[in-house]
Amino acid sequence: MANNYRNGTSNRSSLAKTDRPLSVNSNSKPAVKSKSFPASGPRKSSPASLGSAAVAKDYAGVPGRVRVAVRLRTRNAEEMVADADFGDCVELLPELKRLKLRKNNWDAETYEFDEVLTEFASQKRVYQAVAKPVVESVLDGYNGTVMAYGQTGTGKTYTLGPLGEEDPATRGIMVRAMEDILAGVSLDTDSVTVSYLQLYMETIQDLLDPTNDNISIAEDPKTGDVSLPGATLVEIRDQHSFVELLKLGEAHRFAANTKLNTESSRSHAILMVHVKRSVEGRDVAHSGEIGNNSHMVKTLKPPIVRKAKLVVVDLAGSERIDKSGSEGHTLEEAKSINLSLSALGKCINSLAEGSAYVPVRDSKLTRLLRDSFGGTARTSLVITIGPSPRHRGETASTILFGQRAMKVENMLKLKEEFDYKSLARRLDIQLDKLIAEHERQQKAFENEIERITIEAQNQISETERNYADALEKERLKYQKDYMESIKKLEERWKINQQKQGSDRIMVRSEDDCSDVASNAKGSMASIVGELTEVKKLLLKETQLRKAAEEEVNNLKIQVAQWKRSEASGNTEIFKLRQMLEDEAHQKKKLEEEIALLQSQLLQISFEADETRRRLDRGESGKIPGGLDSLTQVRQPQLKDAGNGEKASIAKLFEQVGLQKILSLLEAEDADVQIHAVKVVANLAAEESNQEKIVEAGGLTSLLMLLGSSEDETIHRVAAGAIANLAMNETNQELIMTQGGIGLLSTTAANAEDPQTLRMVAGAIANLCGNDKLQLKLRGEGGIKALLGMVRCGHPDVLAQVARGIANFAKCESRASTQGTKTGRSLLIDDGALPWIVQNSNNEASPIRRHIELALCHLAQHEVNAKDMISGGALWELVRISRDCSREDIRTLAHRTLTSSPAFQAEMRRLRIDY
């Protein structure tokens, strides 16, 4: 049959006729007695267990488990006629969250689900039971997936897709989910973007841009997240625009007419909603004080942004060719649909059974849903079934798919990160405000200095003028008084001269001698009196001159004081200008420090994540034969990549200083501690920095942090830094002396994160490679800590455990050969042999290679032969000697088997041709 493009209104109406619940089957028969099954099978319940809710509680207690709801469709018009004489093949018990699938009239199987939705369940009830918890998790920062699975024509598209334009009550999960998302975000600070795609014939096509019909899948090497970089991404601002996008996408989706459904979806529709939210209440307050250190710490703390993704998947219906009547191109479409659904079923089976290998790359559908099953997303699955007994096989298959999906557990992860761009914008705004405020203050200060200077100059000029005027007045006054005094003296002198001439003429008269004598006496007395008066005038003039000189001195003193005041003012002006220059220099220094700290924060976080990513990838690299350094965990390419980091590490040493970095390990702020320990871990990755870190007390600080902190990230990064430092033999002894093995063992016992366990196992594995620490390491529980970490089951953790056991076995072998050790292996004493034998042929190459080497080292000493034979290790040694990919290990196994009498005797007894 030819394919048709799905078109808005008419297709929705036809879909509603096919999938929408209409009425209750009046011919349904009462439930019959159910048959009990073993506990290891699907989640079925016997009659005796129907009254117990223990199983439901057990599954509900797992936060990351996939939640599965079942929805029953009513009989359609065709089934009403064809199955009129038969009862429904299913019976729902919604109050018990159970479903009965009838085999015949007397036998039925009971299954339990998280939700059981009858044919009467409204679209709102379905949304609240299936999708609303997932949408709330997305708003909280977790990825979420809502998926519909079932036979074609059972109501998957009706459950997810109706727009509800004619009847709002029929709105599907997609529309209702977007309503809750838009209600839960603030469009001023948050963003919501949408992509709408279809997977058709193993090609990913853009439903919003039909010309974009072959989109590739990209995986983030750091986080493993799957993305579609070529898909159209549309920002949503309101519900109306979202509904219009859904109409556009539905018009381009492939559909065809089959016997089971007149409007059967021929592709898997995938709606991706990306939600970016700023976390409220955690933004730091601004302050205008430049010199406040606490202000600097708070300002540099970036805001938190949560980026989550909601994926809504409308799977194409599974169908049997003989029932759907597909032929031609429709038959090819059906094959492609069934293959992708089969690949999805295989992945869920592997995850439900706890298999180490999950075939996620068998189909593009499984690659797109990698995060939904076994990943970090909260997943909710709704399986849709029909009541017709003619399709009992498809209904049973759908139910079993849902039962297996309920066993899948995801590791929920908060998608939270620092918003450095927002921090940079905020710092730029704050810096602009500080610069403007500083310019205003500087301008006001300069204006005040200019005013003070002008006033001082005016006062000095006024004083100088007053002094000059007063001095000139005093000089003129004294000059006038002096001239008047001289003139008076001259007049008196002339008068005296005249009197003396007349007196001489009178002396000639002899008769008047007596009178002359008396006149002479009187004249002398007058002269003496005048001289006395002159002396008084001279004395007065001298006193006046002294007073004038004192006044002049006082004026000089005042002028000197004004000059000193002016000099003091100039000094103050100079100091203030110096302060302005210092403030400008300090501002520039602070700006440079802000920019430096921003770049360092970005660089340090990037380098820490980059190093962790390289360590995550490094397990597949070639491992040297020594097996006693952490470099075996890295790929050889890390040497080249490390050259690019040396410059930034050297720059970090110069600008910040190691002591300052180490002091941040004791900070109260957890974010500061995390950044500091990441920097120390990156520095410890360089061999040239390790000695400096240990001498500065960095190893002691890391061990104390490992014991005191409860933060999982700090445990992981600190253990990684200790693992790097443990590559040095001297550092290994320091770690053991300071109780490091006990702290690492405690961390391993309490940790659940695989990456933390991998770092701890790597550190202990390095310590296992030291011949001098064998007994002490085993005595403090190092071997048991390694074996305890195998509970995780993660391949990276198991590879580090295997490396540690291989290092320990090699050191024991060397000590036994040198004669310093006797007796059987401590590994065998601690019960490691069964795990070694069990994993000697592990699918993961790093695990298998280390275990093979450990077995060869244990088998080199005859005292271990009996335990290895009884434990089944002999068969593995024979296999290693024949099939091992590494020639050196194969040769070592062959030499060990041929040189051991005990192994030779056992092989002869078992008739192993060797």
Side-chain angles (χ1 to χ4, degrees):
M1 299 180 184
N3 290 332
N4 301 317
Y5 280 108
R6 182 169 301 196
N7 185 311
T9 308
S10 61
N11 293 340
R12 290 296 177 190
S13 61
S14 62
L15 179 63
K17 293 177 182 178
T18 304
D19 296 339
R20 186 177 177 183
L22 298 174
S23 60
V24 185
N25 181 11
S26 59
N27 296 326
S28 59
K29 298 181 180 180
V32 296
K33 185 176 181 181
S34 62
K35 183 177 179 181
S36 62
F37 284 82
S40 60
R43 299 186 61 212
K44 306 171 185 177
S45 303
S46 63
S49 64
L50 290 179
S52 173
V55 177
K57 289 182 180 179
D58 290 343
Y59 279 92
V62 181
R65 180 178 64 78
V66 176
R67 298 182 74 258
V68 180
V70 59
R71 186 180 193 186
L72 177 65
R73 170 183 60 77
T74 60
R75 292 193 178 194
N76 55 31
E78 179 187 356
E79 292 170 348
M80 287 289 190
V81 176
D83 301 332
D85 297 332
F86 301 94
D88 292 348
C89 66
V90 294
E91 178 186 354
L92 302 184
L93 303 171
E95 64 280 357
L96 299 177
K97 296 185 179 181
R98 291 183 173 88
L99 174 149
K100 287 185 178 182
L101 178 64
R102 291 193 178 91
K103 291 183 178 180
N104 45 50
N105 290 336
W106 59 87
D107 196 5
E109 295 175 346
T110 302
Y111 300 91
E112 183 177 358
F113 290 93
D114 294 299
E115 291 290 342
V116 175
L117 304 169
T118 67
E119 61 270 34
F120 301 108
S122 65
Q123 292 284 74
K124 181 178 180 180
R125 169 79 177 93
V126 174
Y127 171 74
Q128 291 177 339
V130 177
K132 191 174 181 63
V134 179
V135 174
E136 291 174 348
S137 296
V138 171
L139 291 174
D140 289 337
Y142 297 89
N143 285 349
T145 302
V146 178
M147 188 172 71
Y149 177 91
Q151 183 188 9
T152 182
T154 54
K156 299 181 297 301
T157 303
Y158 176 76
T159 299
L160 298 178
L163 304 179
E165 292 183 311
E166 298 179 0
D167 183 4
T170 62
R171 301 192 317 278
I173 286 177
M174 291 182 181
V175 176
R176 294 176 185 269
M178 182 56 67
E179 290 174 353
D180 283 355
I181 290 174
L182 291 176
V185 301
S186 173
L187 295 180
D188 295 334
T189 58
D190 306 334
S191 66
V192 180
T193 54
V194 168
S195 295
Y196 199 14
L197 314 159
Q198 69 175 351
L199 179 60
Y200 176 71
M201 299 286 286
E202 280 302 299
T203 61
I204 301 175
Q205 302 177 3
D206 197 334
L207 290 175
L208 304 180
D209 181 11
T211 59
N212 190 9
D213 57 358
N214 191 9
I215 301 174
S216 59
I217 300 175
E219 295 184 14
D220 190 334
K222 277 201 305 186
T223 62
D225 291 342
V226 175
S227 61
L228 301 170
T232 302
L233 202 61
V234 180
E235 184 173 3
I236 301 299
R237 305 292 296 179
D238 53 63
Q239 186 70 15
H240 176 72
S241 61
F242 175 69
V243 172
E244 293 300 320
L245 283 179
L246 289 183
K247 285 182 182 178
L248 177 63
E250 287 297 317
H252 295 138
R253 191 176 175 190
F254 285 105
N257 184 10
T258 67
K259 292 181 179 180
L260 297 177
N261 190 354
T262 59
E263 199 70 22
S264 176
S265 301
R266 312 311 291 167
S267 65
H268 307 297
I270 303 166
L271 176 70
M272 292 185 177
V273 182
H274 302 268
V275 180
K276 179 180 177 182
R277 298 188 67 201
S278 297
V279 180
E280 297 179 357
R282 296 185 61 175
D283 287 342
V284 295
H286 293 282
S287 173
E289 300 178 6
I290 297 178
N292 194 339
N293 293 331
S294 63
H295 157 76
M296 291 296 298
V297 174
K298 289 182 179 180
T299 302
L300 289 176
K301 184 176 181 182
I304 304 297
V305 172
R306 291 176 177 171
K307 296 181 179 179
K309 178 174 65 176
L310 173 64
V311 180
V312 182
V313 185
D314 181 11
L315 294 174
S318 60
E319 60 184 57
R320 292 186 178 178
I321 307 303
D322 56 344
K323 291 186 178 182
S324 66
S326 300
E327 59 184 12
H329 187 69
T330 308
L331 177 60
E332 296 301 321
E333 291 174 337
K335 290 180 181 179
S336 177
I337 292 170
N338 289 338
L339 283 175
S340 60
L341 293 177
S342 176
L344 177 61
K346 289 179 181 179
C347 290
I348 290 179
N349 286 344
S350 299
L351 290 169
E353 295 170 359
S355 175
Y357 173 71
V358 180
V360 294
R361 295 188 174 274
D362 288 358
S363 169
K364 288 187 178 180
L365 177 63
T366 54
R367 290 184 66 191
L368 288 172
L369 298 179
R370 180 176 185 177
D371 193 46
S372 304
F373 293 96
T376 62
R378 184 183 298 278
T379 301
S380 185
L381 170 67
V382 55
I383 60 173
T384 57
I385 59 176
S388 175
R390 289 182 298 141
H391 304 307
R392 186 189 181 282
E394 289 82 352
T395 300
S397 176
T398 301
I399 291 173
L400 292 178
F401 179 88
Q403 289 287 296
R404 288 190 293 268
M406 290 180 70
K407 298 180 181 179
V408 177
E409 297 180 11
N410 295 341
M411 185 181 295
L412 302 185
K413 182 179 179 182
L414 183 64
K415 303 296 182 179
E416 189 175 79
E417 63 185 34
F418 292 123
D419 188 0
Y420 290 104
K421 292 183 180 179
S422 175
L423 173 63
R425 289 194 300 269
R426 192 178 65 197
L427 289 176
D428 287 340
I429 294 172
Q430 185 179 0
L431 184 59
D432 291 339
K433 289 182 179 178
L434 290 175
I435 291 173
E437 181 64 24
H438 177 72
E439 288 180 350
R440 286 193 294 271
Q441 293 179 358
Q442 185 175 7
K443 184 62 176 178
F445 179 76
E446 290 176 352
N447 293 337
E448 183 67 18
I449 292 298
E450 184 177 0
R451 185 187 65 80
I452 293 173
T453 303
I454 293 173
E455 288 182 356
Q457 290 177 350
N458 292 335
Q459 290 180 359
I460 292 171
S461 300
E462 182 69 22
T463 303
E464 288 178 347
R465 286 194 301 270
N466 294 336
Y467 169 72
D469 293 342
L471 189 63
E472 182 65 20
K473 289 178 181 179
E474 289 295 326
R475 187 184 67 79
L476 294 175
K477 179 182 177 183
Y478 290 144
Q479 185 177 5
K480 182 179 180 182
D481 291 343
Y482 177 76
M483 294 303 294
E484 290 178 353
S485 299
I486 294 298
K487 187 176 181 181
K488 288 180 179 180
L489 287 175
E490 288 178 349
E491 290 176 354
R492 290 179 181 179
W493 182 78
K494 288 179 180 180
I495 292 171
N496 288 334
Q497 288 295 327
Q498 291 175 358
K499 288 180 178 181
Q500 288 178 4
S502 63
D503 288 340
R504 288 191 190 100
I505 294 173
M506 292 174 68
V507 168
R508 293 175 182 174
S509 178
E510 296 177 356
D511 295 335
D512 295 330
C513 291
S514 58
D515 294 333
V516 171
S518 62
N519 290 334
K521 290 181 182 177
S523 178
M524 290 298 293
S526 175
I527 291 171
V528 171
E530 289 177 0
L531 288 175
T532 303
E533 186 176 354
V534 169
K535 288 181 180 179
K536 288 180 180 179
L537 290 174
L538 289 174
L539 179 62
K540 184 179 180 180
E541 184 178 356
T542 303
Q543 290 175 350
L544 290 174
R545 182 177 292 275
K546 288 182 179 179
E549 290 177 352
E550 289 178 358
E551 184 69 21
V552 169
N553 290 333
N554 289 334
L555 292 175
K556 288 181 178 180
I557 291 172
Q558 290 181 8
V559 170
Q561 288 178 348
W562 280 111
K563 288 183 178 180
R564 284 195 298 271
S565 177
E566 182 182 9
S568 176
N570 292 334
T571 304
E572 186 68 22
I573 291 172
F574 177 77
K575 289 181 179 179
L576 291 174
R577 287 178 178 172
Q578 190 67 30
M579 289 174 62
L580 283 175
E581 293 177 358
D582 292 342
E583 283 190 10
H585 178 70
Q586 182 70 12
K587 182 192 73 174
K588 183 177 180 181
K589 185 176 179 181
L590 289 173
E591 292 172 357
E592 293 175 353
E593 185 174 356
I594 288 171
L596 175 63
L597 289 174
Q598 288 177 0
S599 62
Q600 286 177 357
L601 282 173
L602 290 171
Q603 181 178 354
I604 290 167
S605 298
F606 174 77
E607 290 176 356
D609 294 337
E610 186 72 12
T611 302
R612 182 170 67 249
R613 179 182 65 79
R614 290 172 182 157
L615 290 174
D616 291 342
R617 295 189 309 175
E619 291 299 329
S620 60
K622 182 177 180 182
I623 300 178
L627 290 172
D628 52 4
S629 74
L630 188 63
T631 55
Q632 298 169 5
V633 190
R634 306 173 180 170
Q635 292 182 346
Q637 290 85 346
L638 285 181
K639 294 182 179 179
D640 296 332
N643 293 333
E645 300 174 3
K646 290 181 179 179
S648 61
I649 291 174
K651 186 175 180 181
L652 191 63
F653 266 122
E654 294 174 2
Q655 295 180 348
V656 180
L658 182 59
Q659 288 294 343
K660 186 174 180 180
I661 296 173
L662 294 178
S663 66
L664 293 177
L665 294 175
E666 301 177 1
E668 296 182 359
D669 194 322
D671 292 338
V672 175
Q673 280 188 331
I674 291 173
H675 283 299
V677 76
K678 285 184 178 180
V679 174
V680 175
N682 280 322
L683 294 174
E686 294 292 333
E687 186 175 355
S688 59
N689 299 329
Q690 292 178 0
E691 183 177 354
K692 298 178 183 177
I693 292 174
V694 175
E695 289 177 354
L699 177 59
T700 303
S701 299
L702 288 170
L703 291 173
M704 292 177 61
L705 193 61
L706 194 65
S708 60
S709 177
E710 298 180 359
D711 189 275
E712 187 77 14
T713 302
I714 292 179
H715 286 174
R716 181 179 69 253
V717 182
I722 294 171
N724 287 332
L725 295 175
M727 293 187 293
N728 181 279
E729 184 174 347
T730 303
N731 295 344
Q732 292 173 355
E733 295 177 359
L734 287 175
I735 291 172
M736 294 297 295
T737 303
Q738 297 181 21
I741 192 65
L743 292 172
L744 291 170
S745 300
T746 302
T747 303
N750 297 329
E752 296 294 337
D753 180 32
Q755 298 303 323
T756 303
L757 293 174
R758 180 174 68 83
M759 294 296 183
V760 174
I764 297 177
N766 286 341
L767 296 175
C768 288
N770 192 319
D771 296 341
K772 302 175 184 178
L773 306 177
Q774 294 275 293
L775 293 176
K776 187 173 182 180
L777 188 143
R778 187 249 184 173
E780 294 184 8
I783 301 301
K784 291 186 177 178
L786 270 180
L787 295 175
M789 283 184 276
V790 303
R791 73 183 187 279
C792 173
H794 196 281
D796 293 344
V797 179
L798 298 182
Q800 293 301 313
V801 173
R803 184 171 71 86
I805 290 175
N807 283 346
F808 198 92
K810 180 180 178 181
C811 291
E812 277 194 330
S813 175
R814 189 159 51 232
S816 299
T817 303
Q818 294 172 355
T820 58
K821 182 186 182 305
T822 59
R824 71 175 185 173
S825 171
L826 298 177
L827 292 172
I828 297 177
D829 290 342
D830 280 353
L833 185 59
W835 185 82
I836 294 174
V837 174
Q838 180 183 355
N839 289 272
S840 60
N841 196 19
N842 195 289
E843 292 181 359
S845 175
I847 302 173
R848 182 177 66 254
R849 185 164 60 251
H850 288 308
I851 293 299
E852 289 174 348
L853 193 57
L855 276 176
C856 292
H857 284 306
L858 288 175
Q860 283 184 313
H861 303 285
E862 195 70 17
V863 69
N864 298 328
K866 182 178 179 181
D867 294 291
M868 296 184 71
I869 292 172
S870 62
L874 176 60
W875 294 100
E876 296 302 326
L877 284 170
V878 172
R879 179 193 61 77
I880 293 170
S881 67
R882 294 174 176 174
D883 302 334
C884 182
S885 59
R886 282 183 53 174
E887 184 178 356
D888 55 342
I889 298 178
R890 192 167 62 248
T891 303
L892 181 61
H894 177 76
R895 186 171 65 247
T896 301
L897 289 173
T898 55
S899 62
S900 171
F903 287 147
Q904 288 290 321
E906 183 66 14
M907 285 191 292
R908 286 194 297 271
R909 187 182 71 82
L910 297 174
R911 297 180 181 178
I912 298 175
D913 186 12
Y914 193 79

